[in-house]
Amino acid sequence: MPTVVQLPAGKAMTVRTAADAFLDSLGNPNTVRNYGIGVGKTAERLGEGRPLAAVADDDVGGALELLWGEASVNTWNARRAAVLSWLGWCAERGYDGPQVPAWAKRMPPPESETPARSKMAIDRLIARREVHLREKTLWRMLYETCARSEEILEVNIEELDLAGRRAPVKAKGAQPRTRRRGAVREDFVLETVYWDAGTARLLPRLIKGRTRGPVFTTHRRPGPGKVLSARDVCPDTGLARLSYGQARALLDEHTALAGPGTGWDLHEYRHSGLTHLGENGASLPMLMAKSRHKKPENVRRYFKPSPEALSDLTSLLAPGDARR
């Protein structure tokens, strides 16, 4: 006999109700256990008491990135698939709600890792006339700090040390933990990221006339129904903080060659920056300090030297007279 799931009357339900109903509909205990991780943690991140219909696609993508953006490819794909099934199940039953956005795409197999873009390609992209100052500054800052995208997007103007070319960020720490049903505690530590001349030239132009609020904001004010914390709105302009989903979509818009979702990923700036530092002689301890990884094996997977760098390295083995 198929499992009968009692759904609430009407076409509106909360995030938690939708998650519980979906998981209750699954017959296989193993599927329930595996899907429960992805669906349960995503529901917590989105806000269990929120109406499902009030959740935006980018909210779902942002939750996936925050929870598993740094996880292995297989873990990311599994959690994404669980959430995709959950939201598809709700849509099939006529419940208004979000979808997994196109930019939160399934990752390729592990053997095809995040690429490291050449410094020339990064410089050319940032120099393009049609790229807005906001994107230029964000991409340069991501490259020079080698920080995670969420960390940089969370920075506020009052936290910037422009003279010292540094800022504190909420670094990736423990995952949110549930103290009791519906109550979530955020765990994080403050760490410092550093940038160089490129970011130092662009930042003052971007924040000119503003002294508080998010460094990176949208170009339009949020709609009347959107609830934001005071920290996420510029008090001078009323503009909201740029979200991870919006930033990722903007990068994709400027780099996609084979349709939406095929462009660069924000995380590639971190990979590229660490790779270029390594190619220029930075030691493993210094790369770990820059990336703030605690284990050498974690930072090693970010270092992807180019064929040209390997060729230059190999030339060091040539006879003395051949190197003259």
Side-chain angles (χ1 to χ4, degrees), residues 57-99:
D57 294 359
D58 281 347
D59 293 340
V60 176
L64 288 170
E65 283 288 345
L66 286 170
L67 291 167
W68 299 291
E70 297 287 334
S72 68
V73 170
N74 290 337
T75 298
W76 164 266
N77 287 339
R79 303 298 181 247
R80 177 187 176 278
V83 173
L84 192 68
S85 295
W86 167 39
L87 298 179
W89 181 89
C90 292
E92 289 174 359
R93 283 151 185 79
Y95 286 86
D96 295 331
Q99 297 178 336

Side-chain angles (χ1 to χ4, degrees), residues 140-147 152 193-195 290 292:
R140 180 61 68 185
M141 197 170 183
L142 289 174
Y143 176 64
E144 292 185 354
T145 61
C146 298
I152 296 302
V193 297
Y194 302 82
W195 57 84
K290 181 68 172 175
R292 293 166 286 119

Side-chain angles (χ1 to χ4, degrees), residues 155-298:
V155 174
N156 274 22
I157 296 172
E158 57 269 29
E159 297 159 355
L160 297 172
D161 179 356
L162 295 176
R165 297 181 179 180
R166 68 189 70 182
V169 297
K170 290 183 178 180
K172 180 184 178 183
Q175 295 286 1
R177 295 196 297 267
T178 303
R179 291 178 294 185
R180 54 185 178 275
R181 188 175 181 85
V184 177
R185 182 174 64 209
E186 299 285 355
D187 295 319
F188 62 88
V189 293
L190 285 177
E191 295 181 349
T192 303
V193 297
Y194 302 82
W195 57 84
D196 199 49
T199 303
R201 285 193 296 268
L202 295 170
L203 261 179
R205 293 170 53 196
L206 179 68
I207 64 175
K208 185 177 181 180
R210 296 191 293 134
T211 59
R212 301 169 296 166
V215 173
F216 300 99
T217 63
T218 58
H219 289 162
R220 296 180 181 178
R221 294 192 177 191
K226 193 170 182 64
V227 179
L228 297 169
S229 69
R231 174 178 167 79
D232 293 328
V233 179
C234 174
D236 300 320
T237 64
L239 300 175
R241 185 184 306 280
L242 188 71
S243 72
Y244 180 93
Q246 292 166 330
R248 190 171 185 179
L250 286 165
L251 178 59
D252 185 73
E253 177 184 327
H254 286 287
T255 57
L257 299 177
T262 64
W264 294 16
D265 190 273
L266 290 169
H267 201 56
E268 293 176 22
Y269 286 107
R270 180 166 163 86
H271 279 258
S272 302
L274 291 172
T275 291
H276 298 161
L277 288 174
E279 289 178 344
N280 282 281
S283 65
L284 180 59
M286 289 302 291
L287 289 176
M288 291 177 64
K290 181 68 172 175
S291 68
R292 293 166 286 119
H293 282 108
K294 302 301 184 287
K295 297 179 180 179
E297 58 267 27
N298 289 341

